[in-house]
Amino acid sequence: MIKHFSIIGGCWLAMAVAGLAGEAQASVKYQIPVPTAEQFAWQKMGVIAFAHFGINTFTDREWGDGKEDPQLFNPEQLDASQWVTALKAAGVKLLILTAKHHDGFCLWPSKYTSHSVKNSAWKGGRGDVVREVSAACNKGGLKFGVYLSPWDRHEKTYGDSPAYNEHFRNQLTELLTQYGPVAEVWFDGACGEGPNGKKQEYDWASFYKVVRRCQPGALIAICGPDIRWVGNETGVAKENESSVQKPNPQMHPPVDYVWYPAECDVSIRPGWFFHGAENERVKSLDQLMGIYYQSVGRNSVLLLNVPPDRRGLIHENDVRRLAEFGAEIKRRFAKPLAKTSGRGSLVRLPLRRTARIDHVLISEDIRYGERVKEYVVEGQIKGQWMPLCRGKVVGSLQIQRIAPAEVEAVRLRCLQCEMQPVISRLAVCAVDQ
Ligand code: FUL
């Protein structure tokens, strides 16, 4: 049985109160963190997307200063369904839109500012990008998320802490009540105010309350308790990246460990926003696959940014690369040579005949927590068990590329574990032949 406890302060902590049948007694004293249902579903998504789009798209900048003329915003051919189709080809399951970046320009007609689409040339000021993108996601079967930058270089109240906190909560409430279900809310930690700049004390707890109240199913990422920033913008997780973390006292309850899975953000281009000069610098398929191995293949979610251009479309070069990326992931991993599941510290994977393999994929059923603490995968080669790869954390997914080996059988041995491991998948693939 898995139980989820809501903890005051706005964040969630879930504990396995009883693991599998036969563990009920031990579980009374022995609790390990497990994901909430929303975290579990999110971790299973694998690849999700970011769309950095806004006034910067039209000024050719990465960080706007909030002094832009809103009239410049005019994506005349905006077609959010084109974004959704292009992203789905890469296997993307959720799209997070920069509803407001550091420049304060809002992609929806917020009541609380003039710096928004309502004063732009686009659709005579009657357009709403958040509406179009959320509707296209719903229609196309993608989950929808919002990025709302706490740092706001346009808003006059920024730096007058109580007043700006109120402003931020108002904008957040608009976004979370007018556009249907929101699966992820992204609070960026960036703030470039210099030593003489404005100092804003954010009232995070009150922001989290707004999210919990308006969208109980939404996960709060980065400056939030549910999803952890991996710590770089290159899309790379550590080896043995774990979802079990020491709590951050600013956002988590005072327990020993919390479930706090990692998200790896990276842009498909050098910049986060679209710049025409970068059209030939879309990451290569090799680069994207390398990122995939080091994020999704390391128990993390890949948040891939694909910035729409000034037309309001995803550029042809990115569309092509997304399709190649999705096809290559399928080619490598969709049809493993053999797969199994099992419980306990030894899981055997017999093969129908001797086969040359070059990848091993392992998943735990993380609803029971991360139980494996150290493992080795061995292959039977001419009757002898030989190590193929090792590691510590398994979690949601590990993809291990191994030196090609001709094996008769494969087995996973857990060398250290907490409670009985629950392996939802042990699979082998032959990719490079
Ligand atoms: C950073 C921001 O400053 C970048 O512009 C971008 O939005 C990235 C995802 O996060 O903190």
Side-chain angles (χ1 to χ4, degrees):
M1 180 176 100
I2 294 177
K3 263 212 175 142
H4 303 288
F5 298 118
S6 170
I7 306 280
I8 22 151
C11 52
W12 289 83
L13 176 77
M15 295 289 225
V17 274
L20 302 170
E23 288 179 354
Q25 253 187 335
S27 68
V28 174
K29 335 187 207 52
Y30 201 74
Q31 300 187 331
I32 60 170
V34 297
T36 61
E38 290 80 12
Q39 286 173 317
F40 174 69
W42 179 84
Q43 283 180 270
K44 289 291 146 204
M45 290 180 187
V47 185
I48 65 176
F50 234 161
H52 274 67
F53 186 57
I55 200 74
N56 292 339
T57 312
F58 295 86
T59 55
D60 216 6
R61 296 180 73 173
E62 278 290 301
W63 278 8
D65 57 14
K67 299 191 181 90
E68 309 79 9
D69 178 357
Q71 281 287 318
L72 291 175
F73 185 84
N74 195 13
E76 280 177 332
Q77 299 171 46
L78 185 112
D79 178 3
S81 67
Q82 186 256 5
W83 308 7
V84 169
T85 306
L87 294 169
K88 278 170 70 178
V92 163
K93 301 287 188 294
L94 179 157
L95 169 59
I96 301 172
L97 173 68
T98 52
K100 174 179 92 166
H101 203 251
H102 311 325
D103 47 66
F105 183 84
C106 296
L107 291 181
W108 80 104
S110 172
K111 266 205 313 222
Y112 302 98
T113 183
S114 57
H115 205 40
S116 86
V117 283
K118 75 183 174 205
N119 287 315
S120 73
W122 182 55
K123 296 192 171 177
R126 282 181 299 279
D128 183 341
V129 181
V130 178
R131 170 117 17 245
E132 295 199 17
V133 175
S134 59
C137 285
N138 284 332
K139 193 156 172 238
L142 287 193
K143 301 262 185 219
F144 176 65
V146 290
Y147 167 113
L148 186 67
S149 170
W151 184 30
D152 186 325
R153 304 178 85 181
H154 179 84
E155 173 54 31
K156 294 283 169 299
T157 60
Y158 189 87
D160 170 353
S161 295
Y164 180 74
N165 285 330
E166 177 69 14
H167 174 82
F168 190 79
R169 283 190 296 270
N170 285 336
Q171 292 200 320
L172 187 58
T173 305
E174 287 184 322
L175 281 176
L176 301 183
T177 54
Q178 299 174 13
Y179 300 97
V182 173
E184 183 169 341
V185 178
W186 223 87
F187 289 144
D188 195 332
C191 177
E193 297 293 339
N196 304 318
K198 296 174 180 172
K199 186 115 188 66
Q200 170 71 33
E201 298 290 342
Y202 299 116
D203 184 357
W204 292 110
S206 75
F207 304 163
Y208 303 158
K209 269 194 199 140
V210 171
V211 180
R212 298 300 187 222
R213 191 179 68 239
C214 302
Q215 294 278 343
L219 295 167
I220 312 176
I222 316 309
C223 292
D226 306 323
I227 296 171
R228 176 170 53 93
W229 183 45
V230 77
N232 61 68
E233 292 183 339
T234 51
V236 171
K238 293 193 294 289
E239 277 182 32
N240 301 304
E241 191 77 56
S242 171
S243 301
V244 178
Q245 296 287 317
K246 293 259 185 222
N248 174 338
Q250 265 138 40
M251 54 181 85
H252 294 126
V255 291
D256 291 344
Y257 291 99
V258 289
W259 191 267
Y260 200 23
E263 179 176 80
C264 302
D265 59 330
V266 66
S267 186
I268 197 166
R269 288 161 170 252
W272 290 102
F273 284 88
F274 178 86
H275 307 289
E278 294 178 353
N279 283 345
E280 303 307 320
R281 299 182 65 196
V282 175
K283 286 194 170 55
S284 67
L285 178 58
D286 260 12
Q287 284 174 302
L288 290 180
M289 287 309 296
I291 288 169
Y292 185 84
Y293 279 88
Q294 295 176 87
S295 55
V296 178
R298 288 183 176 174
N299 186 33
S300 303
V301 166
L302 169 58
L303 172 56
L304 179 64
N305 178 61
V306 185
D309 63 18
R310 288 186 187 179
R311 295 171 301 175
L313 298 172
I314 293 183
H315 187 271
E316 293 71 0
N317 293 357
D318 308 59
V319 170
R320 200 174 325 115
R321 195 52 40 78
L322 288 168
E324 290 168 5
F325 185 38
E328 186 61 13
I329 295 170
K330 273 207 189 115
R331 184 188 76 80
R332 294 194 193 190
F333 309 123
K335 285 198 193 118
L337 267 184
K339 62 173 191 239
T340 190
S341 59
R343 289 174 178 184
S345 33
L346 179 66
V347 177
R348 295 168 194 279
L349 175 57
L351 304 182
R352 260 183 277 142
R353 63 185 76 86
T354 301
R356 185 181 154 91
I357 59 166
D358 50 28
H359 282 73
V360 175
L361 278 65
I362 323 166
S363 296
E364 281 183 87
D365 186 338
I366 54 170
R367 287 172 295 184
Y368 297 100
E370 280 179 5
R371 295 181 169 203
V372 178
K373 300 293 169 201
E374 191 180 353
Y375 67 89
V376 57
V377 176
E378 295 166 325
Q380 196 177 27
I381 302 172
K382 298 198 176 108
Q384 287 238 352
W385 287 103
M386 308 289 281
L388 299 175
C389 61
R390 332 175 150 264
K392 294 192 187 303
V393 171
V394 173
S396 188
L397 176 61
Q398 294 294 325
I399 303 177
Q400 295 243 19
R401 192 199 283 262
I402 58 165
E406 297 269 346
V407 294
E408 293 116 38
V410 171
R411 69 185 187 191
L412 167 70
R413 277 202 302 127
C414 299
L415 306 174
Q416 273 189 63
C417 56
E418 227 175 335
M419 308 174 87
Q420 190 189 44
V422 187
I423 304 302
S424 55
R425 189 164 70 140
L426 169 64
V428 291
C429 302
V431 168
D432 302 321
Q433 45 207 297

